[in-house]
Amino acid sequence: MASSEEITLAVGGMHCAACVARVERALAAAPGVELAVVNLATRQAKVRYNPRLIDPEALVRVVKDAGYEVEGTSREQRAPTSPEAEVREFRRRFLVALLLSLPVWLLMIPPLASATGLSHHAMAYILLICATPVMFYSGASFFTGAVSAARHLSTNMDTLVALGTSAAYFYSAWVTFFPESVAAAGHEPAVYYDTAVMIITFILLGRWLEARTRGRASEALRRLFALAPPTARVRRDDTEQEVPLAEVAAGDLVVVRPGEKIPVDGVVAEGKSSVDESMLTGESMPVPKEPGAEVWGATLNQRGFLVFKATRVGRDMVLSQIIRLVEEAQTSKAPIQRLVDKVASIFVPVVMGLAALTFLGWYFWGPPPAFSRSIISLVAVLIIACPCAMGLATPTAVMVGSGRGAEMGILMRGGEALERAYRLTTVVFDKTGTLTRGTPQVTDVHAWEHWNAEAVLAHAAALEEKSEHPLAEAISHAAAVQNLELPRVDDFQAVPGMGLEAVIDGQDVLIGNLAFLRQKGAASAELADHQNRLSREGKTAVFLAVAGKPVGVIAAADTLKPRAAQTVAALKNMGLKILLLSGDNQQTAAAVAESVGITEVLAEVLPGDKAQKVAELQAAGEVVAMVGDGINDAPALAQADVGIALGTGADVALEAADLTLIRDDLDLIPQAIQLSRRMMRIIRQNLFWAFCYNIVALPVAAGSFTLSGAGP
């Protein structure tokens, strides 16, 4: 049995940060629970627990004992439920409240009340009839939530709303039925139905909008789930059968017809086709597939017929890992949110104490009518407090931002990385596979004597197509792009570490490095100058000699990715310091750095030492982002304050990086950092206004906010 397991609980009845803190405390206190994170925006609790000490049923009981409902549990990935039913319910209750609250509010205005010609007593009964459905139908959830919290000796936002509106409503009802008792006590028989119903109406409006926002925030995640087809066609026992996606196993042969979505990850076994991978990588051009090529779940097969062997299914699929990262980002908490949760856990009791002191202060030391002013001030303090604003400030921004990021091709691993990205000072780039393509390409072809560049390239490709040297594929590819006709090669021979020799049209032909041509007596004094010049440019030179004379040189290099220089410039414009970290030699690394505008280079660094270099920068006070391909750079990605991995399919990248870019597009790097900055800025703004509202509004409500008290 595994040492720990994870489960997600859908928690009902949470309406504010105080609710979140209470559920988290209850779960964290349960024996066997290692971690409990509750998210108000998603209404979910992610729990990591020891199955030998506690089971899911016990976790459900813990949540229920805390006064909340568990609406569902899940150990597997599944699309978040749409809050459409909740949105409709809040809308219906809000519209009923609005319809009945408007006449109450209008009839509380003295000129309008007088225009009706009704007595104060009759008007009070009409207001009571209008206010009662608002209180006990539209506002029913506030009272049930408050009662549930009280049953468990706790308080929440519902407690504040229920106490405040009840005080206004029941006092007004007493005045309506027994006005003489209030008058006998020396108080004006005024009613405050408008206070109760308008408060419920406005809070219902807020909860309706909140539910709509949560629905939009989780829409990106639902779209990701919708990418995968529900079924797959599997070849078993020489027959094809359609099975649910969950029943596809690794090793199954999966059949995909033209126009169908590929259900799981795998390797093509039969057929040829092109696959549209844009929904996963963002690349618009279809990718050709033939036996041996990898295919990814949720991509679209186009015109060919494919049979592939399933290699990764269920939670192991690339799509599933992407979904998992988005889920983690949406349920995680930034460190700043933990502070908010601590404040919210004591917020409601403090507000209730302040309301009690306000009532007593106005009653004993306020001007007449003291009781009326005391009631109004108490209601104002209870209602104006808003812990839900604090509780939603962070998770709503993270949900919307991470969902938007997923649509752009940027995956974030939660709140802590979000805060660190906000404070970045330095970005460190790996060279090979990050700034460069990772494979050499021909950059220069120079010819001498009576030779031309096409003839030099054709002769070189004729020899190199028989070689396994890393530069051979680059030279062969360059000749193929130009549709060059290659001459016939005889007596081919490879000299390991040096070059190739053969006979073409009866002449001896050599291709290789400068040392090889010198060994064969085919070098000239000028070749060293060519070699040095190309080396300074970060290029590797191979020389071609025919009949003992050098006739040309071909240079190859790991070329830059598109927009590498523009990406570096964009990051510099954001105020970030840029470094290049490479295991390549100093000359080559410096040439690449210069071509993209990087001035600081750390070269000849072994893969195992890259993390140490990042640590040294951190020790110097830098907040470091490491950008790598996610394989040999994994230690450095993990060491960095923010690890940014490029490309899909690398499990190490998804595990080690804080930001993963789904497609290999350097433009996404500044976009990812900008997105993190915008999200953090919005979170800080949300929290600032939430705290300011409560800090300013509560003293105003307690000390100076009064209603006229005029009524029928």
Side-chain angles (χ1 to χ4, degrees), residues 658-681:
D658 300 296
L659 297 176
T660 300
L661 311 182
I662 295 177
R663 61 182 186 271
D664 196 5
D665 182 354
L666 292 177
D667 278 337
L668 289 179
I669 297 171
Q671 290 178 30
I673 296 174
Q674 287 282 24
L675 178 64
S676 298
R677 287 182 173 184
R678 284 198 300 271
M679 289 170 63
M680 197 63 208
R681 185 166 60 248

mmCIF file of all heavy atoms in Angstrom, residues 658-681:
data_model
loop_
_atom_site.group_PDB
_atom_site.id
_atom_site.type_symbol
_atom_site.label_atom_id
_atom_site.label_comp_id
_atom_site.label_asym_id
_atom_site.label_seq_id
_atom_site.Cartn_x
_atom_site.Cartn_y
_atom_site.Cartn_z
ATOM 1 N N ASP A 658 8.473 25.207 -12.278
ATOM 2 C CA ASP A 658 7.344 25.937 -11.701
ATOM 3 C C ASP A 658 6.424 26.471 -12.796
ATOM 4 O O ASP A 658 5.220 26.566 -12.614
ATOM 5 C CB ASP A 658 7.861 27.101 -10.856
ATOM 6 C CG ASP A 658 8.751 26.621 -9.726
ATOM 7 O OD1 ASP A 658 8.242 25.912 -8.847
ATOM 8 O OD2 ASP A 658 9.952 26.937 -9.732
ATOM 9 N N LEU A 659 7.034 26.840 -13.933
ATOM 10 C CA LEU A 659 6.270 27.253 -15.113
ATOM 11 C C LEU A 659 6.657 26.327 -16.258
ATOM 12 O O LEU A 659 7.846 26.161 -16.547
ATOM 13 C CB LEU A 659 6.578 28.696 -15.499
ATOM 14 C CG LEU A 659 6.214 29.799 -14.500
ATOM 15 C CD1 LEU A 659 6.677 31.154 -15.018
ATOM 16 C CD2 LEU A 659 4.730 29.830 -14.240
ATOM 17 N N THR A 660 5.679 25.698 -16.877
ATOM 18 C CA THR A 660 5.947 24.829 -18.021
ATOM 19 C C THR A 660 5.254 25.417 -19.245
ATOM 20 O O THR A 660 4.060 25.728 -19.201
ATOM 21 C CB THR A 660 5.436 23.402 -17.766
ATOM 22 O OG1 THR A 660 6.091 22.876 -16.615
ATOM 23 C CG2 THR A 660 5.724 22.504 -18.954
ATOM 24 N N LEU A 661 6.023 25.585 -20.318
ATOM 25 C CA LEU A 661 5.481 26.129 -21.564
ATOM 26 C C LEU A 661 5.155 24.963 -22.484
ATOM 27 O O LEU A 661 6.031 24.180 -22.841
ATOM 28 C CB LEU A 661 6.492 27.067 -22.218
ATOM 29 C CG LEU A 661 7.088 28.129 -21.276
ATOM 30 C CD1 LEU A 661 8.033 29.039 -22.040
ATOM 31 C CD2 LEU A 661 5.994 28.940 -20.599
ATOM 32 N N ILE A 662 3.882 24.835 -22.850
ATOM 33 C CA ILE A 662 3.432 23.665 -23.586
ATOM 34 C C ILE A 662 4.117 23.564 -24.941
ATOM 35 O O ILE A 662 4.506 22.489 -25.378
ATOM 36 C CB ILE A 662 1.898 23.708 -23.767
ATOM 37 C CG1 ILE A 662 1.222 23.614 -22.405
ATOM 38 C CG2 ILE A 662 1.430 22.576 -24.656
ATOM 39 C CD1 ILE A 662 -0.284 23.710 -22.478
ATOM 40 N N ARG A 663 4.310 24.681 -25.616
ATOM 41 C CA ARG A 663 4.960 24.621 -26.921
ATOM 42 C C ARG A 663 6.330 25.299 -26.850
ATOM 43 O O ARG A 663 6.589 26.118 -25.983
ATOM 44 C CB ARG A 663 4.086 25.252 -28.002
ATOM 45 C CG ARG A 663 3.763 26.716 -27.813
ATOM 46 C CD ARG A 663 2.853 27.196 -28.933
ATOM 47 N NE ARG A 663 2.627 28.622 -28.882
ATOM 48 C CZ ARG A 663 1.650 29.206 -28.203
ATOM 49 N NH1 ARG A 663 0.806 28.458 -27.505
ATOM 50 N NH2 ARG A 663 1.498 30.515 -28.207
ATOM 51 N N ASP A 664 7.163 24.933 -27.779
ATOM 52 C CA ASP A 664 8.541 25.395 -27.801
ATOM 53 C C ASP A 664 8.608 26.774 -28.450
ATOM 54 O O ASP A 664 9.105 26.948 -29.555
ATOM 55 C CB ASP A 664 9.401 24.385 -28.579
ATOM 56 C CG ASP A 664 10.875 24.594 -28.323
ATOM 57 O OD1 ASP A 664 11.217 25.437 -27.487
ATOM 58 O OD2 ASP A 664 11.682 23.905 -28.965
ATOM 59 N N ASP A 665 8.092 27.777 -27.743
ATOM 60 C CA ASP A 665 7.969 29.134 -28.273
ATOM 61 C C ASP A 665 8.588 30.092 -27.260
ATOM 62 O O ASP A 665 8.060 30.283 -26.160
ATOM 63 C CB ASP A 665 6.498 29.468 -28.500
ATOM 64 C CG ASP A 665 6.296 30.848 -29.108
ATOM 65 O OD1 ASP A 665 7.283 31.583 -29.251
ATOM 66 O OD2 ASP A 665 5.138 31.180 -29.428
ATOM 67 N N LEU A 666 9.715 30.708 -27.614
ATOM 68 C CA LEU A 666 10.416 31.579 -26.678
ATOM 69 C C LEU A 666 9.595 32.808 -26.306
ATOM 70 O O LEU A 666 9.791 33.385 -25.234
ATOM 71 C CB LEU A 666 11.758 32.011 -27.271
ATOM 72 C CG LEU A 666 12.804 30.897 -27.433
ATOM 73 C CD1 LEU A 666 14.062 31.440 -28.096
ATOM 74 C CD2 LEU A 666 13.143 30.274 -26.085
ATOM 75 N N ASP A 667 8.681 33.232 -27.156
ATOM 76 C CA ASP A 667 7.837 34.385 -26.836
ATOM 77 C C ASP A 667 7.006 34.149 -25.575
ATOM 78 O O ASP A 667 6.570 35.102 -24.921
ATOM 79 C CB ASP A 667 6.898 34.705 -28.001
ATOM 80 C CG ASP A 667 7.589 35.543 -29.073
ATOM 81 O OD1 ASP A 667 8.581 36.218 -28.735
ATOM 82 O OD2 ASP A 667 7.150 35.512 -30.230
ATOM 83 N N LEU A 668 6.762 32.884 -25.239
ATOM 84 C CA LEU A 668 5.952 32.586 -24.061
ATOM 85 C C LEU A 668 6.677 32.913 -22.758
ATOM 86 O O LEU A 668 6.040 33.049 -21.714
ATOM 87 C CB LEU A 668 5.557 31.107 -24.057
ATOM 88 C CG LEU A 668 4.529 30.664 -25.094
ATOM 89 C CD1 LEU A 668 4.263 29.179 -24.978
ATOM 90 C CD2 LEU A 668 3.229 31.443 -24.925
ATOM 91 N N ILE A 669 8.022 33.026 -22.795
ATOM 92 C CA ILE A 669 8.760 33.272 -21.548
ATOM 93 C C ILE A 669 8.418 34.645 -20.973
ATOM 94 O O ILE A 669 7.986 34.738 -19.813
ATOM 95 C CB ILE A 669 10.273 33.100 -21.778
ATOM 96 C CG1 ILE A 669 10.570 31.663 -22.188
ATOM 97 C CG2 ILE A 669 11.050 33.469 -20.520
ATOM 98 C CD1 ILE A 669 11.988 31.437 -22.653
ATOM 99 N N PRO A 670 8.600 35.758 -21.724
ATOM 100 C CA PRO A 670 8.174 37.045 -21.154
ATOM 101 C C PRO A 670 6.672 37.101 -20.896
ATOM 102 O O PRO A 670 6.237 37.736 -19.930
ATOM 103 C CB PRO A 670 8.605 38.070 -22.214
ATOM 104 C CG PRO A 670 8.843 37.297 -23.464
ATOM 105 C CD PRO A 670 9.256 35.932 -23.038
ATOM 106 N N GLN A 671 5.883 36.414 -21.724
ATOM 107 C CA GLN A 671 4.439 36.400 -21.480
ATOM 108 C C GLN A 671 4.118 35.716 -20.155
ATOM 109 O O GLN A 671 3.234 36.157 -19.413
ATOM 110 C CB GLN A 671 3.722 35.690 -22.623
ATOM 111 C CG GLN A 671 3.730 36.448 -23.941
ATOM 112 C CD GLN A 671 3.039 35.677 -25.061
ATOM 113 O OE1 GLN A 671 2.128 34.898 -24.816
ATOM 114 N NE2 GLN A 671 3.497 35.883 -26.283
ATOM 115 N N ALA A 672 4.837 34.631 -19.847
ATOM 116 C CA ALA A 672 4.605 33.912 -18.594
ATOM 117 C C ALA A 672 4.956 34.782 -17.397
ATOM 118 O O ALA A 672 4.211 34.826 -16.395
ATOM 119 C CB ALA A 672 5.424 32.623 -18.576
ATOM 120 N N ILE A 673 6.078 35.480 -17.475
ATOM 121 C CA ILE A 673 6.479 36.333 -16.353
ATOM 122 C C ILE A 673 5.524 37.510 -16.213
ATOM 123 O O ILE A 673 5.134 37.894 -15.100
ATOM 124 C CB ILE A 673 7.932 36.804 -16.548
ATOM 125 C CG1 ILE A 673 8.874 35.590 -16.516
ATOM 126 C CG2 ILE A 673 8.326 37.803 -15.469
ATOM 127 C CD1 ILE A 673 10.322 35.920 -16.831
ATOM 128 N N GLN A 674 5.097 38.078 -17.337
ATOM 129 C CA GLN A 674 4.126 39.170 -17.286
ATOM 130 C C GLN A 674 2.805 38.701 -16.700
ATOM 131 O O GLN A 674 2.176 39.422 -15.909
ATOM 132 C CB GLN A 674 3.898 39.743 -18.696
ATOM 133 C CG GLN A 674 5.045 40.586 -19.238
ATOM 134 C CD GLN A 674 5.076 41.989 -18.646
ATOM 135 O OE1 GLN A 674 4.568 42.224 -17.553
ATOM 136 N NE2 GLN A 674 5.683 42.920 -19.360
ATOM 137 N N LEU A 675 2.376 37.488 -17.072
ATOM 138 C CA LEU A 675 1.131 36.949 -16.533
ATOM 139 C C LEU A 675 1.245 36.782 -15.024
ATOM 140 O O LEU A 675 0.317 37.137 -14.274
ATOM 141 C CB LEU A 675 0.809 35.607 -17.199
ATOM 142 C CG LEU A 675 -0.450 34.895 -16.693
ATOM 143 C CD1 LEU A 675 -1.694 35.729 -16.990
ATOM 144 C CD2 LEU A 675 -0.583 33.514 -17.344
ATOM 145 N N SER A 676 2.374 36.255 -14.550
ATOM 146 C CA SER A 676 2.574 36.104 -13.114
ATOM 147 C C SER A 676 2.553 37.455 -12.412
ATOM 148 O O SER A 676 1.965 37.604 -11.338
ATOM 149 C CB SER A 676 3.904 35.395 -12.847
ATOM 150 O OG SER A 676 3.914 34.109 -13.388
ATOM 151 N N ARG A 677 3.203 38.438 -13.020
ATOM 152 C CA ARG A 677 3.212 39.771 -12.420
ATOM 153 C C ARG A 677 1.815 40.366 -12.360
ATOM 154 O O ARG A 677 1.424 40.973 -11.351
ATOM 155 C CB ARG A 677 4.137 40.692 -13.212
ATOM 156 C CG ARG A 677 5.619 40.395 -13.020
ATOM 157 C CD ARG A 677 6.477 41.383 -13.801
ATOM 158 N NE ARG A 677 7.892 41.224 -13.504
ATOM 159 C CZ ARG A 677 8.847 42.003 -13.990
ATOM 160 N NH1 ARG A 677 8.537 42.995 -14.815
ATOM 161 N NH2 ARG A 677 10.109 41.801 -13.667
ATOM 162 N N ARG A 678 1.053 40.200 -13.446
ATOM 163 C CA ARG A 678 -0.308 40.751 -13.450
ATOM 164 C C ARG A 678 -1.171 40.067 -12.391
ATOM 165 O O ARG A 678 -1.942 40.722 -11.691
ATOM 166 C CB ARG A 678 -0.942 40.588 -14.837
ATOM 167 C CG ARG A 678 -0.425 41.572 -15.873
ATOM 168 C CD ARG A 678 -1.374 41.671 -17.060
ATOM 169 N NE ARG A 678 -1.552 40.397 -17.727
ATOM 170 C CZ ARG A 678 -0.795 39.954 -18.715
ATOM 171 N NH1 ARG A 678 0.221 40.691 -19.146
ATOM 172 N NH2 ARG A 678 -1.029 38.789 -19.287
ATOM 173 N N MET A 679 -1.036 38.725 -12.297
ATOM 174 C CA MET A 679 -1.828 38.004 -11.301
ATOM 175 C C MET A 679 -1.488 38.469 -9.888
ATOM 176 O O MET A 679 -2.370 38.700 -9.061
ATOM 177 C CB MET A 679 -1.592 36.499 -11.440
ATOM 178 C CG MET A 679 -2.219 35.889 -12.684
ATOM 179 S SD MET A 679 -1.684 34.186 -12.953
ATOM 180 C CE MET A 679 -2.331 33.389 -11.486
ATOM 181 N N MET A 680 -0.192 38.612 -9.607
ATOM 182 C CA MET A 680 0.209 39.034 -8.263
ATOM 183 C C MET A 680 -0.229 40.458 -7.984
ATOM 184 O O MET A 680 -0.642 40.794 -6.865
ATOM 185 C CB MET A 680 1.723 38.895 -8.127
ATOM 186 C CG MET A 680 2.197 38.895 -6.691
ATOM 187 S SD MET A 680 1.536 37.484 -5.803
ATOM 188 C CE MET A 680 1.512 38.143 -4.138
ATOM 189 N N ARG A 681 -0.160 41.308 -9.003
ATOM 190 C CA ARG A 681 -0.600 42.687 -8.827
ATOM 191 C C ARG A 681 -2.100 42.733 -8.529
ATOM 192 O O ARG A 681 -2.551 43.480 -7.647
ATOM 193 C CB ARG A 681 -0.271 43.499 -10.079
ATOM 194 C CG ARG A 681 -0.577 44.982 -9.930
ATOM 195 C CD ARG A 681 0.073 45.805 -11.045
ATOM 196 N NE ARG A 681 -0.402 45.392 -12.362
ATOM 197 C CZ ARG A 681 0.352 44.795 -13.269
ATOM 198 N NH1 ARG A 681 1.621 44.518 -12.999
ATOM 199 N NH2 ARG A 681 -0.131 44.466 -14.444
#
